[in-house]
Amino acid sequence: MNKVLVVTTLFCASTLVHAGGYRVSLQGQRAQGMGHTGVALTDSAESIFFNPGSTVLLDDDKEFIGGLNLLSATAKYQNVNTGASAETDSGIATPLNLYYNSKVSDSLSWGLGIYTPYGSSVKWPTDWAGSHLVNEIELASVFIQPTLGYRVSDTVSLGFGPTLVVGGVEFNRNLSTSLVDENGNRANVTLEASEVTSYGYNIGLLATATDRLNVGINYRSKVDLEARGESATFQNVPASLQGTFSNTTFDADLVLPAELTVGLAYELTDKMTFAFDVNRTYWSDYEELRIDFANAVPTSVNPRNYQDANTVRLGLSYERDPKWTLRGGYYIDKTPVRDGYFAPETPRPDSTGFTFGASYQRSPKLALDFSFLYLRFLETDNSYDFYVENNTTTPFEGTYLSNAYNFGFGLKYTY
Protein backbone atom coordinates (compact mmCIF):
# COMPACT_ATOMS: atom_id res chain seq x y z
CA MET A 1 0.00 0.00 0.00
CA ASN A 2 1.59 3.27 -1.00
CA LYS A 3 2.13 6.25 1.28
CA VAL A 4 -0.70 8.39 -0.01
CA LEU A 5 -3.22 5.62 0.38
CA VAL A 6 -1.99 4.90 3.90
CA VAL A 7 -2.46 8.56 4.83
CA THR A 8 -5.93 8.86 3.39
CA THR A 9 -7.03 5.51 4.76
CA LEU A 10 -5.94 6.37 8.28
CA PHE A 11 -7.73 9.67 7.93
CA CYS A 12 -11.05 8.41 6.77
CA ALA A 13 -11.43 4.65 6.61
CA SER A 14 -15.06 4.09 7.36
CA THR A 15 -15.87 0.37 7.29
CA LEU A 16 -19.65 0.08 6.98
CA VAL A 17 -20.99 3.35 8.40
CA HIS A 18 -22.45 4.45 5.12
CA ALA A 19 -25.32 6.75 4.38
CA GLY A 20 -25.98 4.60 1.35
CA GLY A 21 -23.28 3.06 -0.82
CA TYR A 22 -19.86 4.31 0.32
CA ARG A 23 -21.12 7.57 1.86
CA VAL A 24 -19.77 8.09 5.40
CA SER A 25 -21.82 10.03 7.96
CA LEU A 26 -19.31 11.01 10.64
CA GLN A 27 -18.58 14.69 9.97
CA GLY A 28 -18.91 16.13 13.48
CA GLN A 29 -19.27 14.97 17.07
CA ARG A 30 -21.98 17.49 17.99
CA ALA A 31 -23.98 16.71 14.87
CA GLN A 32 -23.42 12.99 15.39
CA GLY A 33 -24.97 13.19 18.86
CA MET A 34 -28.12 14.63 17.25
CA GLY A 35 -28.57 12.00 14.55
CA HIS A 36 -26.06 13.72 12.26
CA THR A 37 -28.38 16.70 11.79
CA GLY A 38 -26.94 20.16 11.27
CA VAL A 39 -28.20 22.00 8.18
CA ALA A 40 -30.12 24.53 10.32
CA LEU A 41 -27.96 24.55 13.46
CA THR A 42 -25.59 27.39 14.39
CA ASP A 43 -23.78 25.96 17.41
CA SER A 44 -20.33 25.12 16.02
CA ALA A 45 -17.92 25.34 13.08
CA GLU A 46 -19.11 21.89 12.00
CA SER A 47 -21.45 24.07 9.90
CA ILE A 48 -18.59 24.40 7.40
CA PHE A 49 -19.63 20.91 6.26
CA PHE A 50 -23.35 20.88 7.11
CA ASN A 51 -24.24 24.39 5.88
CA PRO A 52 -21.64 27.08 5.10
CA GLY A 53 -24.49 29.62 5.27
CA SER A 54 -24.51 29.19 9.05
CA THR A 55 -20.85 30.02 9.66
CA VAL A 56 -21.31 33.79 9.84
CA LEU A 57 -23.90 33.34 12.62
CA LEU A 58 -21.68 31.43 15.07
CA ASP A 59 -21.39 33.00 18.52
CA ASP A 60 -17.60 33.04 18.78
CA ASP A 61 -15.25 35.18 16.69
CA LYS A 62 -12.74 32.38 16.23
CA GLU A 63 -13.41 28.68 16.69
CA PHE A 64 -11.55 25.44 16.15
CA ILE A 65 -13.39 22.14 16.45
CA GLY A 66 -12.18 18.66 15.65
CA GLY A 67 -13.18 15.07 16.22
CA LEU A 68 -11.84 11.52 16.15
CA ASN A 69 -13.96 8.39 15.67
CA LEU A 70 -13.29 4.81 16.74
CA LEU A 71 -15.39 2.70 14.44
CA SER A 72 -16.07 -1.02 14.45
CA ALA A 73 -18.32 -2.75 11.95
CA THR A 74 -18.99 -6.26 10.73
CA ALA A 75 -20.90 -7.89 7.91
CA LYS A 76 -21.89 -11.55 7.85
CA TYR A 77 -22.71 -13.58 4.76
CA GLN A 78 -24.44 -16.94 4.54
CA ASN A 79 -25.89 -19.09 1.78
CA VAL A 80 -28.04 -21.87 3.26
CA ASN A 81 -28.13 -23.73 -0.06
CA THR A 82 -24.37 -24.01 -0.51
CA GLY A 83 -23.40 -23.89 3.16
CA ALA A 84 -20.98 -21.04 2.48
CA SER A 85 -20.51 -18.36 5.14
CA ALA A 86 -18.06 -15.57 5.88
CA GLU A 87 -17.60 -12.54 8.12
CA THR A 88 -15.64 -9.37 7.48
CA ASP A 89 -12.64 -8.44 9.61
CA SER A 90 -12.14 -4.74 8.94
CA GLY A 91 -10.60 -3.74 12.28
CA ILE A 92 -11.02 -0.35 13.95
CA ALA A 93 -11.24 2.66 11.65
CA THR A 94 -10.44 6.21 12.79
CA PRO A 95 -12.12 8.86 10.61
CA LEU A 96 -11.29 12.47 11.57
CA ASN A 97 -12.71 15.91 10.88
CA LEU A 98 -11.26 19.38 11.49
CA TYR A 99 -12.89 22.80 11.14
CA TYR A 100 -11.76 26.36 11.75
CA ASN A 101 -13.98 29.43 11.46
CA SER A 102 -13.16 33.14 11.91
CA LYS A 103 -15.62 36.04 11.84
CA VAL A 104 -14.25 39.10 10.10
CA SER A 105 -17.34 41.14 10.99
CA ASP A 106 -20.99 40.57 11.83
CA SER A 107 -21.67 40.00 8.14
CA LEU A 108 -18.57 38.12 6.93
CA SER A 109 -16.67 35.00 7.99
CA TRP A 110 -14.08 32.64 6.57
CA GLY A 111 -13.01 29.14 7.48
CA LEU A 112 -11.45 25.87 6.49
CA GLY A 113 -12.76 22.33 6.76
CA ILE A 114 -11.08 18.95 6.28
CA TYR A 115 -13.44 16.01 6.31
CA THR A 116 -14.17 12.61 4.76
CA PRO A 117 -17.72 12.09 3.46
CA TYR A 118 -16.89 9.11 1.23
CA GLY A 119 -14.87 5.96 1.88
CA SER A 120 -15.07 2.23 2.44
CA SER A 121 -13.03 -0.46 4.14
CA VAL A 122 -14.25 -4.02 3.78
CA LYS A 123 -12.07 -7.09 4.25
CA TRP A 124 -13.55 -10.52 3.62
CA PRO A 125 -11.57 -13.73 4.28
CA THR A 126 -9.20 -14.41 1.37
CA ASP A 127 -10.67 -16.83 -1.18
CA TRP A 128 -14.11 -16.81 0.43
CA ALA A 129 -17.18 -17.76 -1.63
CA GLY A 130 -17.51 -14.26 -3.12
CA SER A 131 -13.80 -13.71 -3.71
CA HIS A 132 -14.36 -13.44 -7.48
CA LEU A 133 -16.21 -10.18 -6.65
CA VAL A 134 -14.03 -8.85 -3.83
CA ASN A 135 -11.53 -9.99 -1.22
CA GLU A 136 -10.67 -6.58 0.15
CA ILE A 137 -11.30 -2.93 -0.65
CA GLU A 138 -9.94 0.27 0.85
CA LEU A 139 -11.48 3.42 -0.59
CA ALA A 140 -10.53 6.78 0.87
CA SER A 141 -11.22 10.40 0.04
CA VAL A 142 -10.29 13.63 1.81
CA PHE A 143 -12.17 16.88 1.17
CA ILE A 144 -10.40 20.19 1.82
CA GLN A 145 -12.80 23.12 1.83
CA PRO A 146 -12.01 26.83 2.31
CA THR A 147 -15.27 28.62 3.09
CA LEU A 148 -16.83 32.09 3.06
CA GLY A 149 -19.99 33.02 4.93
CA TYR A 150 -21.97 36.20 4.29
CA ARG A 151 -25.00 37.67 6.04
CA VAL A 152 -27.26 39.06 3.34
CA SER A 153 -29.81 40.51 5.77
CA ASP A 154 -30.95 40.13 9.36
CA THR A 155 -32.73 36.91 8.41
CA VAL A 156 -30.76 35.37 5.52
CA SER A 157 -27.13 34.26 5.24
CA LEU A 158 -25.23 32.42 2.53
CA GLY A 159 -22.05 30.37 2.44
CA PHE A 160 -19.88 28.82 -0.21
CA GLY A 161 -16.79 26.65 -0.30
CA PRO A 162 -14.91 25.06 -3.20
CA THR A 163 -13.62 21.59 -2.39
CA LEU A 164 -10.37 19.93 -3.34
CA VAL A 165 -10.80 16.16 -3.21
CA VAL A 166 -7.92 13.70 -2.95
CA GLY A 167 -8.76 10.02 -3.22
CA GLY A 168 -7.17 6.61 -3.34
CA VAL A 169 -8.23 2.98 -3.53
CA GLU A 170 -6.80 -0.49 -3.12
CA PHE A 171 -8.97 -3.33 -4.38
CA ASN A 172 -8.27 -7.07 -4.58
CA ARG A 173 -10.36 -9.89 -5.98
CA ASN A 174 -9.81 -13.29 -7.53
CA LEU A 175 -9.81 -13.53 -11.31
CA SER A 176 -12.58 -16.13 -11.38
CA THR A 177 -14.47 -18.58 -9.19
CA SER A 178 -11.87 -21.31 -9.64
CA LEU A 179 -8.67 -20.30 -11.52
CA VAL A 180 -5.47 -21.37 -9.69
CA ASP A 181 -1.77 -21.53 -10.48
CA GLU A 182 0.35 -24.68 -10.63
CA ASN A 183 0.56 -24.73 -6.82
CA GLY A 184 -3.17 -24.43 -6.27
CA ASN A 185 -3.13 -20.73 -5.28
CA ARG A 186 -6.08 -18.65 -6.44
CA ALA A 187 -5.24 -16.22 -9.24
CA ASN A 188 -6.09 -12.64 -8.26
CA VAL A 189 -5.60 -9.01 -9.19
CA THR A 190 -4.85 -5.98 -7.02
CA LEU A 191 -5.72 -2.49 -8.23
CA GLU A 192 -4.04 0.48 -6.58
CA ALA A 193 -4.74 4.14 -7.26
CA SER A 194 -3.48 7.16 -5.34
CA GLU A 195 -3.36 10.96 -5.50
CA VAL A 196 -6.47 11.02 -7.64
CA THR A 197 -7.67 14.61 -7.40
CA SER A 198 -10.85 16.38 -8.40
CA TYR A 199 -12.95 19.39 -7.43
CA GLY A 200 -16.44 20.24 -6.27
CA TYR A 201 -18.24 22.75 -4.09
CA ASN A 202 -20.45 23.14 -1.02
CA ILE A 203 -23.10 25.87 -0.89
CA GLY A 204 -25.72 26.66 1.73
CA LEU A 205 -28.42 29.08 2.82
CA LEU A 206 -29.78 29.69 6.29
CA ALA A 207 -32.99 31.62 6.97
CA THR A 208 -33.96 32.80 10.44
CA ALA A 209 -37.72 32.47 10.21
CA THR A 210 -38.46 33.52 13.81
CA ASP A 211 -36.49 34.05 17.01
CA ARG A 212 -36.70 30.28 17.61
CA LEU A 213 -36.85 28.77 14.12
CA ASN A 214 -34.07 28.36 11.54
CA VAL A 215 -34.49 26.77 8.11
CA GLY A 216 -31.46 25.57 6.15
CA ILE A 217 -30.66 24.30 2.66
CA ASN A 218 -27.35 22.78 1.65
CA TYR A 219 -26.08 21.38 -1.65
CA ARG A 220 -22.81 19.51 -2.12
CA SER A 221 -21.83 18.91 -5.72
CA LYS A 222 -20.94 15.66 -7.44
CA VAL A 223 -17.24 14.85 -7.68
CA ASP A 224 -15.80 12.62 -10.40
CA LEU A 225 -12.59 10.83 -9.45
CA GLU A 226 -10.80 9.75 -12.62
CA ALA A 227 -7.96 7.29 -12.05
CA ARG A 228 -5.62 7.14 -15.03
CA GLY A 229 -2.56 4.94 -15.53
CA GLU A 230 -2.77 3.35 -12.07
CA SER A 231 -1.26 0.04 -11.02
CA ALA A 232 -2.79 -3.41 -11.71
CA THR A 233 -0.87 -6.37 -10.30
CA PHE A 234 -1.76 -9.98 -11.17
CA GLN A 235 -0.73 -12.80 -8.85
CA ASN A 236 -0.78 -16.61 -8.97
CA VAL A 237 -1.63 -16.68 -12.66
CA PRO A 238 -0.94 -20.09 -14.30
CA ALA A 239 1.95 -20.05 -16.76
CA SER A 240 -0.31 -20.62 -19.75
CA LEU A 241 -2.16 -17.32 -19.07
CA GLN A 242 0.68 -15.09 -17.92
CA GLY A 243 1.00 -13.61 -21.40
CA THR A 244 -2.48 -12.13 -21.01
CA PHE A 245 -2.63 -11.45 -17.28
CA SER A 246 0.62 -9.50 -16.93
CA ASN A 247 1.14 -6.55 -14.61
CA THR A 248 -0.08 -3.38 -16.24
CA THR A 249 -1.94 -0.12 -15.64
CA PHE A 250 -5.65 0.63 -15.60
CA ASP A 251 -8.14 3.48 -15.98
CA ALA A 252 -11.34 3.74 -13.94
CA ASP A 253 -13.82 6.40 -12.80
CA LEU A 254 -15.63 6.67 -9.49
CA VAL A 255 -18.43 9.10 -8.80
CA LEU A 256 -18.95 10.74 -5.41
CA PRO A 257 -22.59 11.80 -5.83
CA ALA A 258 -24.19 15.15 -5.14
CA GLU A 259 -26.34 15.69 -2.06
CA LEU A 260 -29.20 18.04 -1.20
CA THR A 261 -30.22 18.55 2.43
CA VAL A 262 -33.07 20.66 3.80
CA GLY A 263 -33.95 20.97 7.45
CA LEU A 264 -35.00 23.05 10.40
CA ALA A 265 -33.91 23.74 13.94
CA TYR A 266 -36.44 24.89 16.52
CA GLU A 267 -35.78 26.04 20.08
CA LEU A 268 -38.46 24.26 22.08
CA THR A 269 -37.30 26.09 25.20
CA ASP A 270 -34.31 28.26 26.11
CA LYS A 271 -32.39 25.04 26.85
CA MET A 272 -33.79 22.53 24.37
CA THR A 273 -33.39 22.48 20.55
CA PHE A 274 -35.00 20.11 18.06
CA ALA A 275 -33.48 19.48 14.61
CA PHE A 276 -34.91 17.74 11.56
CA ASP A 277 -33.02 17.07 8.30
CA VAL A 278 -33.98 15.32 5.08
CA ASN A 279 -31.10 14.39 2.83
CA ARG A 280 -31.22 13.15 -0.76
CA THR A 281 -28.12 11.62 -2.32
CA TYR A 282 -28.09 11.41 -6.11
CA TRP A 283 -26.67 7.90 -6.37
CA SER A 284 -28.22 7.36 -9.81
CA ASP A 285 -25.01 8.84 -11.25
CA TYR A 286 -23.26 5.60 -10.22
CA GLU A 287 -24.20 3.33 -13.11
CA GLU A 288 -21.23 0.98 -13.35
CA LEU A 289 -17.69 0.30 -12.21
CA ARG A 290 -15.66 0.00 -15.42
CA ILE A 291 -11.98 -0.94 -15.39
CA ASP A 292 -9.98 -0.59 -18.62
CA PHE A 293 -6.63 -2.39 -18.59
CA ALA A 294 -3.72 -1.26 -20.75
CA ASN A 295 -2.81 -4.81 -21.83
CA ALA A 296 -4.87 -7.61 -23.39
CA VAL A 297 -6.99 -8.25 -20.28
CA PRO A 298 -10.64 -7.69 -21.22
CA THR A 299 -12.33 -4.59 -19.86
CA SER A 300 -14.13 -5.31 -16.59
CA VAL A 301 -17.66 -3.89 -16.61
CA ASN A 302 -19.56 -4.19 -13.32
CA PRO A 303 -23.11 -2.76 -13.43
CA ARG A 304 -24.23 -0.93 -10.30
CA ASN A 305 -27.35 0.97 -11.41
CA TYR A 306 -27.74 2.72 -8.05
CA GLN A 307 -30.87 4.75 -7.36
CA ASP A 308 -31.25 8.08 -5.57
CA ALA A 309 -31.82 7.57 -1.84
CA ASN A 310 -33.11 9.58 1.11
CA THR A 311 -32.10 9.80 4.75
CA VAL A 312 -34.41 11.26 7.40
CA ARG A 313 -32.75 12.52 10.58
CA LEU A 314 -34.03 13.73 13.97
CA GLY A 315 -32.02 15.27 16.77
CA LEU A 316 -32.51 16.85 20.19
CA SER A 317 -30.13 18.78 22.44
CA TYR A 318 -30.64 19.80 26.06
CA GLU A 319 -28.49 22.23 28.02
CA ARG A 320 -28.59 20.58 31.42
CA ASP A 321 -26.51 23.28 33.11
CA PRO A 322 -23.67 25.67 32.15
CA LYS A 323 -21.25 22.70 32.08
CA TRP A 324 -23.19 19.92 30.37
CA THR A 325 -25.18 19.67 27.14
CA LEU A 326 -26.80 16.33 26.30
CA ARG A 327 -27.85 15.11 22.84
CA GLY A 328 -29.81 12.30 21.23
CA GLY A 329 -30.76 11.39 17.69
CA TYR A 330 -32.26 8.87 15.31
CA TYR A 331 -32.26 8.38 11.56
CA ILE A 332 -33.58 6.14 8.82
CA ASP A 333 -31.18 5.58 5.95
CA LYS A 334 -32.41 4.00 2.70
CA THR A 335 -30.00 2.02 0.57
CA PRO A 336 -29.35 3.07 -3.05
CA VAL A 337 -28.67 -0.56 -4.07
CA ARG A 338 -31.38 -2.20 -6.16
CA ASP A 339 -32.27 -5.87 -5.80
CA GLY A 340 -29.98 -7.97 -7.99
CA TYR A 341 -27.13 -5.42 -7.75
CA PHE A 342 -26.04 -6.24 -4.19
CA ALA A 343 -22.25 -6.53 -4.47
CA PRO A 344 -20.32 -7.58 -1.32
CA GLU A 345 -17.85 -4.68 -1.69
CA THR A 346 -20.62 -2.49 -0.19
CA PRO A 347 -22.91 -4.90 1.76
CA ARG A 348 -25.25 -2.11 2.64
CA PRO A 349 -29.06 -2.58 3.02
CA ASP A 350 -31.49 -0.14 4.67
CA SER A 351 -30.45 0.88 8.17
CA THR A 352 -31.50 2.80 11.28
CA GLY A 353 -29.11 4.78 13.43
CA PHE A 354 -29.36 5.57 17.15
CA THR A 355 -27.06 8.28 18.47
CA PHE A 356 -26.19 9.89 21.78
CA GLY A 357 -23.79 12.67 22.68
CA ALA A 358 -22.65 15.21 25.22
CA SER A 359 -20.46 18.28 25.58
CA TYR A 360 -18.61 19.29 28.73
CA GLN A 361 -17.58 22.94 29.05
CA ARG A 362 -14.17 22.49 30.64
CA SER A 363 -13.42 26.24 30.71
CA PRO A 364 -14.85 29.38 29.07
CA LYS A 365 -12.75 28.60 25.96
CA LEU A 366 -12.53 24.81 25.89
CA ALA A 367 -15.30 22.20 25.55
CA LEU A 368 -15.01 18.43 25.20
CA ASP A 369 -17.42 16.51 22.97
CA PHE A 370 -18.49 12.87 23.03
CA SER A 371 -20.78 10.85 20.78
CA PHE A 372 -21.95 7.29 20.27
CA LEU A 373 -23.61 5.65 17.26
CA TYR A 374 -25.22 2.27 16.88
CA LEU A 375 -26.12 1.46 13.31
CA ARG A 376 -28.44 -1.48 12.71
CA PHE A 377 -28.80 -2.82 9.16
CA LEU A 378 -31.80 -4.83 8.09
CA GLU A 379 -31.04 -8.46 7.36
CA THR A 380 -31.35 -8.92 3.63
CA ASP A 381 -31.52 -11.79 1.14
CA ASN A 382 -30.04 -10.42 -2.03
CA SER A 383 -27.76 -11.16 -4.96
CA TYR A 384 -25.43 -9.75 -7.54
CA ASP A 385 -26.73 -10.99 -10.90
CA PHE A 386 -24.19 -9.60 -13.36
CA TYR A 387 -21.04 -11.64 -12.89
CA VAL A 388 -20.10 -13.37 -16.15
CA GLU A 389 -17.59 -16.20 -16.44
CA ASN A 390 -16.99 -18.26 -19.59
CA ASN A 391 -19.89 -16.42 -21.25
CA THR A 392 -22.24 -17.62 -18.52
CA THR A 393 -23.91 -15.28 -16.04
CA THR A 394 -23.41 -16.59 -12.51
CA PRO A 395 -25.42 -14.81 -9.77
CA PHE A 396 -23.90 -14.56 -6.30
CA GLU A 397 -26.61 -14.67 -3.69
CA GLY A 398 -27.02 -15.04 0.04
CA THR A 399 -28.12 -13.48 3.30
CA TYR A 400 -26.28 -10.47 4.73
CA LEU A 401 -26.44 -9.18 8.31
CA SER A 402 -24.41 -6.11 9.34
CA ASN A 403 -24.03 -3.68 12.23
CA ALA A 404 -21.65 -0.96 13.36
CA TYR A 405 -20.64 0.94 16.49
CA ASN A 406 -18.82 4.24 16.70
CA PHE A 407 -17.38 6.11 19.66
CA GLY A 408 -16.50 9.72 18.92
CA PHE A 409 -14.36 12.22 20.79
CA GLY A 410 -13.74 15.86 20.05
CA LEU A 411 -12.89 19.27 21.37
CA LYS A 412 -13.94 22.83 20.66
CA TYR A 413 -11.67 25.78 21.37
CA THR A 414 -12.80 29.37 21.00
CA TYR A 415 -11.03 32.68 21.37
Side-chain angles (χ1 to χ4, degrees):
M1 187 181 292
N2 59 54
K3 184 171 71 175
V4 172
L5 183 62
V6 169
V7 171
T8 52
T9 299
L10 288 174
F11 198 86
C12 65
S14 64
T15 63
L16 299 171
V17 179
H18 306 150
Y22 36 89
R23 173 73 168 86
V24 184
S25 291
L26 293 171
Q27 275 70 63
Q29 300 305 320
R30 296 192 172 203
Q32 188 64 39
M34 297 179 67
H36 211 252
T37 57
V39 73
L41 294 172
T42 58
D43 63 339
S44 80
E46 292 174 358
S47 295
I48 288 175
F49 169 79
F50 289 94
N51 186 352
S54 302
T55 56
V56 72
L57 301 181
L58 302 185
D59 291 335
D60 300 297
D61 290 339
K62 300 181 187 299
E63 174 188 329
F64 168 82
I65 188 167
L68 167 68
N69 297 281
L70 300 177
L71 175 61
S72 175
T74 59
K76 297 179 180 179
Y77 164 83
Q78 184 176 27
N79 186 316
V80 295
N81 296 319
T82 64
S85 63
E87 180 175 342
T88 59
D89 180 16
S90 303
I92 302 294
T94 57
L96 298 169
N97 51 76
L98 304 169
Y99 306 100
Y100 174 78
N101 191 69
S102 176
K103 294 174 66 174
V104 179
S105 67
D106 289 339
S107 60
L108 182 65
S109 67
W110 70 272
L112 178 68
I114 303 175
Y115 54 87
T116 59
Y118 290 94
S120 182
S121 177
V122 179
K123 183 178 182 180
W124 292 97
T126 301
D127 301 336
W128 71 295
S131 60
H132 55 293
L133 299 175
V134 62
N135 278 313
E136 182 177 1
I137 182 171
E138 294 274 5
L139 168 67
S141 65
V142 177
F143 283 53
I144 302 170
Q145 179 193 312
T147 301
L148 286 177
Y150 180 68
R151 176 178 284 183
V152 179
S153 69
D154 290 341
T155 58
V156 176
S157 60
L158 299 172
F160 175 79
T163 51
L164 167 64
V165 182
V166 182
V169 67
E170 181 172 331
F171 176 74
N172 175 270
R173 73 180 181 189
N174 291 347
L175 291 183
S176 75
T177 56
S178 58
L179 184 64
V180 296
D181 66 7
E182 289 75 7
N183 297 316
N185 300 311
R186 296 287 297 275
N188 64 88
V189 59
T190 299
L191 308 176
E192 294 181 84
S194 62
E195 298 185 73
V196 181
T197 59
S198 189
Y199 304 91
Y201 62 88
N202 185 353
I203 187 170
L205 178 148
L206 187 81
T208 305
T210 70
D211 290 343
R212 292 186 177 274
L213 176 64
N214 291 338
V215 178
I217 303 174
N218 174 240
Y219 179 79
R220 291 185 286 274
S221 72
K222 181 179 74 171
V223 174
D224 290 312
L225 290 175
E226 300 178 348
R228 296 291 181 269
E230 304 293 341
S231 170
T233 304
F234 294 88
Q235 296 178 306
N236 305 329
V237 177
S240 60
L241 296 176
Q242 289 181 1
T244 299
F245 294 98
S246 58
N247 294 342
T248 185
T249 60
F250 75 94
D251 296 343
D253 296 344
L254 182 66
V255 61
L256 308 181
E259 294 182 60
L260 176 67
T261 304
V262 297
L264 61 86
Y266 184 73
E267 292 184 4
L268 299 172
T269 69
D270 290 343
K271 294 186 176 183
M272 185 177 293
T273 300
F274 169 75
F276 172 72
D277 286 5
V278 177
N279 169 272
R280 186 166 184 80
T281 305
Y282 295 96
W283 283 108
S284 55
D285 285 325
Y286 188 33
E287 298 178 347
E288 65 179 21
L289 176 60
R290 182 186 182 94
I291 304 168
D292 294 308
F293 295 97
N295 59 8
V297 175
T299 297
S300 176
V301 180
N302 308 275
R304 293 294 182 261
N305 197 25
Y306 275 21
Q307 58 187 343
D308 298 340
N310 296 333
T311 306
V312 178
R313 302 177 181 278
L314 304 172
L316 193 68
S317 71
Y318 173 65
E319 185 180 341
R320 180 178 177 271
D321 55 44
K323 291 288 188 182
W324 285 97
T325 298
L326 308 177
R327 303 182 179 90
Y330 172 79
Y331 61 84
I332 301 172
D333 187 3
K334 304 296 288 186
T335 180
V337 183
R338 301 175 191 268
D339 290 343
Y341 291 85
F342 200 91
E345 71 198 34
T346 49
R348 167 57 186 86
D350 294 343
S351 64
T352 53
F354 303 86
T355 74
F356 306 93
S359 292
Y360 175 67
Q361 194 68 40
R362 180 67 176 80
S363 70
K365 293 184 177 181
L366 178 64
L368 305 178
D369 298 323
F370 311 93
S371 71
F372 172 76
L373 163 68
Y374 169 59
L375 196 59
R376 183 179 65 185
F377 296 85
L378 295 180
E379 183 176 296
T380 183
D381 296 317
N382 218 315
S383 61
Y384 185 71
D385 298 339
F386 301 92
Y387 177 76
V388 179
E389 186 172 317
N390 298 324
N391 297 318
T392 301
T393 300
T394 306
F396 181 73
E397 56 192 3
T399 301
Y400 294 85
L401 180 62
S402 308
N403 60 53
Y405 301 87
N406 182 71
F407 294 90
F409 308 90
L411 61 84
K412 175 183 175 181
Y413 184 76
T414 59
Y415 57 100

